[in-house]
Amino acid sequence: MGGVGWRRLGSKLRQRWGWESRLRARGFSSAPAAPPPPHMESVGFIGLGNMGSHMARNLVRAGYRVSVHDINEDAMNKFSDDGIPTKRSPLEVSESSDVVITMLPSSAHVLDVYSGGNGLLGNGGHLGPWLYIDSSTVDPQTSRTISTDMSRCSLKERKGYAEKPMMLDAPVSGGVPAAEAGTLTFMVGGLEETYIAAKPLLLAMGKKLIYCGGAGNGSAAKICNNTAMAISMLGVSEAFALGQNLGIKASTLTDIFNCSSARCWSSDTYNPVPGVMAGVPSARNYDGGFTSKLMAKDLDLAMASASGVGFKCPMGSEALDIYRKLCDEGCEFKDFSCAFRHFYTGKDEK
């Protein structure tokens, strides 16, 4: 659809449902101010892992009519046991939904779910849903490829003011706790008018939405964020381990960092030293959280994307090497903050 058509859509959406004023009044609350509009009532959710399962349940709580799909039968059974409809394929999800959201492990999974056999873009490109949102962490090119494929499709019937199916890449930050609490941050790429239309839906799962620009920019923002997060965690872990070797307790350094220029999320919210902070993976033998395997995957996406545009990332490349080494040494399912203990041989705080 051309830009003019979607500018018209954005204007009409504001007029008809008053979404902009509602969102300001809500202060980005995670509960909807009103029932979902008719063209957003039925939501298909594909990918019921640690993140997706909570996101789907928050949509149910917000009043959306949700159906789900996952290749893991146990994950689907947990939803069917609660009376939430399950579907046997992505195409079956598509056939019963106004909107489809995907939350999948990798670019390969995303391409298969959208374009593979019984994929979302089946039925000869004549689609039922008017909006598709991919919240997976993938490379920007994958997001742009799917968006281009989507632009060649048509709607079986007009829904709301949409004349063609639309796509947003909307990866998230905040991890499993934020997914469960409905406080995720969404980084969104795609047409701005589509982003505006999707706000009520996204705010049923999160509290902060950031529009990043055109197709693929949400995915680009996410891999940049995770590159910075990995480098920051390694830097803080290295400094704590150095301090221990110099005779300074990690708790003392934490106090210093958190009131000085070294303060960051890895020191004040997600401290990697066991015994310093409660309620974080380092306090439970690095179980749970964001695994080293996923961090290595995201860094690999980032470095491949950097190579594709001829940009050198020496610190990102070194971080990738470290997380690959951790995975090779048996830490792939430990939280990525385990680098403090298993790469820098840091000690627990006594």
Side-chain angles (χ1 to χ4, degrees):
M1 178 183 301
V4 173
W6 271 91
R7 282 195 293 273
R8 184 172 67 251
L9 166 61
S11 174
K12 289 182 178 179
L13 287 172
R14 291 186 185 96
Q15 292 171 14
R16 183 164 180 175
W17 291 294
W19 286 352
E20 289 295 300
S21 59
R22 288 185 189 182
L23 294 172
R24 286 194 294 269
R26 284 169 55 197
F28 293 107
S29 162
S30 61
H39 68 293
M40 297 180 77
E41 286 180 331
S42 298
V43 179
F45 203 104
I46 300 174
L48 304 175
N50 291 335
M51 298 288 290
S53 59
H54 293 302
M55 294 165 70
R57 290 188 181 277
N58 281 331
L59 289 171
V60 174
R61 295 185 189 103
Y64 292 91
R65 192 165 61 243
V66 177
S67 60
V68 299
H69 171 72
D70 196 284
I71 59 173
N72 185 325
E73 290 288 340
D74 290 338
M76 287 217 290
N77 288 340
K78 291 177 182 178
F79 280 79
S80 61
D81 288 347
D82 292 333
I84 299 168
T86 59
K87 304 296 181 180
R88 308 312 303 176
S89 70
L91 182 58
E92 192 177 328
V93 170
S94 177
E95 290 171 341
S96 63
S97 303
D98 300 313
V99 180
V100 174
I101 301 172
T102 51
M103 185 61 159
L104 301 162
S106 69
S107 298
H109 290 95
V110 171
L111 290 170
D112 183 60
V113 163
Y114 278 85
S115 302
N118 288 319
L120 292 171
L121 304 187
N123 279 338
H126 301 293
L127 310 181
W130 70 275
L131 175 61
Y132 296 77
I133 300 173
D134 181 37
S135 289
S136 315
T137 299
V138 300
D139 61 281
Q141 190 54 46
T142 293
S143 298
R144 290 165 184 155
T145 296
I146 294 172
S147 181
T148 299
D149 291 344
M150 188 79 64
S151 70
R152 301 189 184 105
C153 297
S154 61
L155 281 176
K156 291 180 180 178
E157 61 182 53
R158 188 165 174 165
K159 294 189 177 181
Y161 291 102
E163 297 168 358
K164 292 190 68 176
M166 305 306 298
M167 179 81 194
L168 293 173
D169 48 282
V172 301
S173 182
V176 174
E180 185 171 9
T183 57
L184 290 166
T185 294
F186 284 86
M187 296 155 268
V188 187
L191 284 176
E192 187 171 10
E193 291 80 5
T194 313
Y195 160 70
I196 291 169
K199 275 186 173 183
L201 185 66
L202 296 175
L203 287 170
M205 302 175 285
K207 72 172 184 178
K208 179 71 173 177
L209 313 180
I210 302 173
Y211 178 63
C212 302
N217 281 16
S219 294
K222 176 60 188 290
I223 61 175
C224 289
N225 178 80
N226 281 19
T227 298
M229 182 170 70
I231 293 169
S232 171
M233 179 58 75
L234 294 174
V236 165
S237 296
E238 186 172 290
F240 281 140
L242 172 62
Q244 288 181 338
N245 280 277
L246 296 174
I248 308 172
K249 294 181 69 174
S251 55
T252 301
L253 279 179
T254 296
D255 290 341
I256 294 168
F257 288 1
N258 291 347
C259 65
S260 65
S261 55
R263 183 172 190 168
C264 63
W265 180 82
S266 298
S267 69
D268 69 7
T269 303
Y270 212 80
N271 197 288
V273 182
V276 170
M277 184 177 291
V280 295
S282 63
R284 50 180 186 267
N285 196 32
Y286 300 104
D287 292 328
F290 188 70
T291 66
S292 296
K293 180 179 180 179
L294 287 176
M295 180 55 81
K297 182 211 81 170
D298 290 358
L299 286 167
D300 191 44
L301 290 174
M303 295 308 101
S305 297
S307 177
V309 294
F311 185 77
K312 293 182 179 180
C313 293
M315 296 180 72
S317 296
E318 182 65 21
L320 175 57
D321 288 344
I322 289 172
Y323 279 104
R324 281 176 172 167
K325 185 173 188 293
L326 286 169
C327 291
D328 289 343
E329 293 178 353
C331 297
E332 59 181 338
F333 296 116
K334 294 291 186 182
D335 181 76
F336 79 109
S337 61
C338 76
F340 169 76
R341 176 189 287 169
H342 295 288
F343 184 80
Y344 292 107
T345 61
K347 305 296 189 297
D348 294 10
E349 186 84 347
K350 300 299 184 183

